[in-house]
């Protein structure tokens, strides 16, 4: 059964796109058919799997605003089983243009429902805000993964995000669940990292993934080569962490099923 998961946090720099790209690639390597949806106007997920923003003919923008067939926009990637619904800076205008559409909060749902059953997982890299695009992404999703960086102010703003999720659960998508929190940029040698991990554990205990994404140079380098880390260096700590996270997600789904 297909599952749509939003990767969301309105704070920038928490490892949201890194998680979207590398979790998607890891699931694909584990023989799941995956669609990565870039719902961020910066287009970092698009470049992160090797596509040039300037060379895009059709993006998620045309699907959301003009009703273009989503299959025309989906691209292959270097990773077998991993496909991309790309975005670029045009998406900035989508929030304003979608305001005039009927059921404006459900546009993404209408777009993705056409291809949902073709994939095992659809991962949505949400924009770093709680605007209409993120609301659309959450309204279209079965669950949400929230990356939390192991740095100062990690928990700041989480209340606002959780409140938004509650509103969406109440008004737009009663089936939406929190898949879990994933700690990113973790360094066991640094006291702050351990303090943040303890704090998140204290607040969200059973909702926290066992896998922590550790600080890793290769993980930071991979996007500049347009590759998920598993293609850039399959044996580095970052690749191992994301494979572990993907396995944890699959085990969790197997228990539910």
């Amino acid at each position: 059964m297909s599952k749509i998961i939003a990767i969301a946090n309105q704070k920038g720099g928490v490892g949201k796109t890194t998680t979207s790209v590398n979790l998607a690639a890891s699931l694909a390597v584990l023989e799941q058919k995956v669609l990565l949806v870039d719902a961020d106007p910066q287009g970092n997920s698009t470049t992160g799997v090797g596509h040039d923003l300037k060379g895009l003919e059709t993006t998620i923008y045309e699907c959301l605003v003009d009703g273009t067939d989503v299959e025309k926009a989906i691209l292959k990637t270097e990773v077998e089983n991993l496909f991309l619904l790309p975005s670029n800076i045009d998406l900035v205008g989508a929030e304003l243009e979608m305001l005039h559409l009927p059921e404006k909060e459900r546009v993404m749902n209408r777009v993705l429902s056409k291809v949902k059953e073709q994939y095992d997982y659809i991962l949505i890299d949400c924009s770093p805000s709680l605007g209409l695009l993120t609301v659309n992404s959450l309204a279209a999703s079965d669950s949400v993964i929230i990356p939390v960086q192991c740095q100062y102010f990690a928990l700041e703003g989480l209340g606002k995000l959780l409140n938004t999720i509650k509103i969406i659960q109440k008004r737009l998508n009663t089936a939406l669940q929190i898949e879990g929190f994933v700690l990113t940029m973790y360094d066991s040698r640094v006291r702050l990292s351990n303090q943040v991990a303890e704090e998140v554990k204290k607040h969200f205990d059973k909702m926290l993934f066992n896998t922590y994404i550790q600080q890793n140079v290769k993980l930071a380098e991979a996007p500049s080569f347009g590759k998920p880390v598993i293609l850039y260096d399959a044996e580095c700590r970052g690749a191992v962490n994301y494979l572990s996270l993907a396995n944890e997600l699959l085990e969790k789904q197997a228990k539910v099923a």
Side-chain angles (χ1 to χ4, degrees):
M1 199 175 88
S2 182
K3 185 160 195 178
I4 301 179
I5 304 175
I7 317 287
N9 192 324
Q10 78 274 23
K11 280 189 72 168
V14 300
K16 187 174 49 59
T17 297
T18 302
T19 295
S20 301
V21 167
N22 291 298
L23 179 56
S26 296
L27 286 167
V29 165
L30 294 170
E31 300 183 343
Q32 303 296 304
K33 191 178 178 187
V34 184
L35 176 64
L36 174 60
V37 177
D38 193 346
D40 183 347
Q42 294 172 87
N44 291 337
S45 276
T46 300
T47 57
V49 292
H51 284 279
D52 181 5
L53 298 183
K54 290 172 188 163
L56 299 172
E57 287 181 21
T58 311
T59 68
I60 190 172
Y61 169 84
E62 285 81 13
C63 301
L64 292 170
V65 174
D66 301 331
T68 300
D69 182 3
V70 64
E71 302 220 28
K72 287 182 182 170
I74 292 171
L75 302 168
K76 287 182 177 178
T77 72
E78 270 188 87
V79 183
E80 195 182 348
N81 291 326
L82 177 60
F83 298 83
L84 171 75
L85 178 53
S87 103
N88 57 18
I89 198 66
D90 290 351
L91 195 58
V92 167
E95 295 215 345
L96 277 175
E97 296 180 59
M98 283 161 65
L99 285 173
H100 310 294
L101 296 176
E103 292 197 296
K104 59 183 182 289
E105 298 93 350
R106 299 184 192 274
V107 184
M108 180 85 76
N109 187 36
R110 293 199 289 272
V111 168
L112 295 182
S113 64
K114 292 170 186 169
V115 292
K116 182 177 181 183
E117 294 311 318
Q118 295 174 32
Y119 299 92
D120 297 305
Y121 286 91
I122 296 177
L123 299 191
I124 308 175
D125 181 15
C126 297
S127 60
S129 75
L130 292 178
L132 189 55
L133 278 172
T134 299
V135 168
N136 258 269
S137 299
L138 293 170
S141 298
D142 298 301
S143 65
V144 53
I145 288 176
I146 302 167
V148 180
Q149 86 279 36
C150 291
Q151 293 173 5
Y152 276 117
F153 310 124
L155 301 178
E156 192 183 71
L158 271 188
K160 199 181 266 187
L161 174 61
L162 293 172
N163 198 41
T164 301
I165 290 169
K166 268 186 193 163
I167 292 167
I168 286 163
Q169 285 169 329
K170 201 173 174 182
R171 300 182 188 170
L172 293 170
N173 183 0
T174 51
L176 180 66
Q177 295 182 325
I178 295 177
E179 193 71 51
F181 294 80
V182 58
L183 285 173
T184 61
M185 306 174 204
Y186 177 74
D187 187 341
S188 59
R189 299 163 302 176
V190 176
R191 187 191 293 172
L192 179 63
S193 267
N194 292 306
Q195 285 173 340
V196 171
E198 282 307 310
E199 197 68 17
V200 174
K201 222 174 196 171
K202 194 167 82 183
H203 283 85
F204 306 111
D205 187 24
K206 291 192 174 104
M207 297 162 89
L208 181 63
F209 280 100
N210 294 322
T211 305
Y212 292 4
I213 308 302
Q214 295 164 283
Q215 287 274 29
N216 182 240
V217 173
K218 302 283 185 176
L219 197 53
E221 288 174 353
S224 61
F225 292 87
K227 292 178 185 291
V229 71
I230 204 156
L231 285 188
Y232 181 61
D233 184 346
E235 292 179 6
C236 76
R237 191 181 288 166
V240 170
N241 287 166
Y242 276 109
L243 263 178
S244 170
L245 183 65
N247 270 311
E248 195 177 338
L249 182 65
L250 291 175
E251 281 167 21
K252 199 175 171 187
Q253 300 312 314
K255 282 177 190 169
V256 175

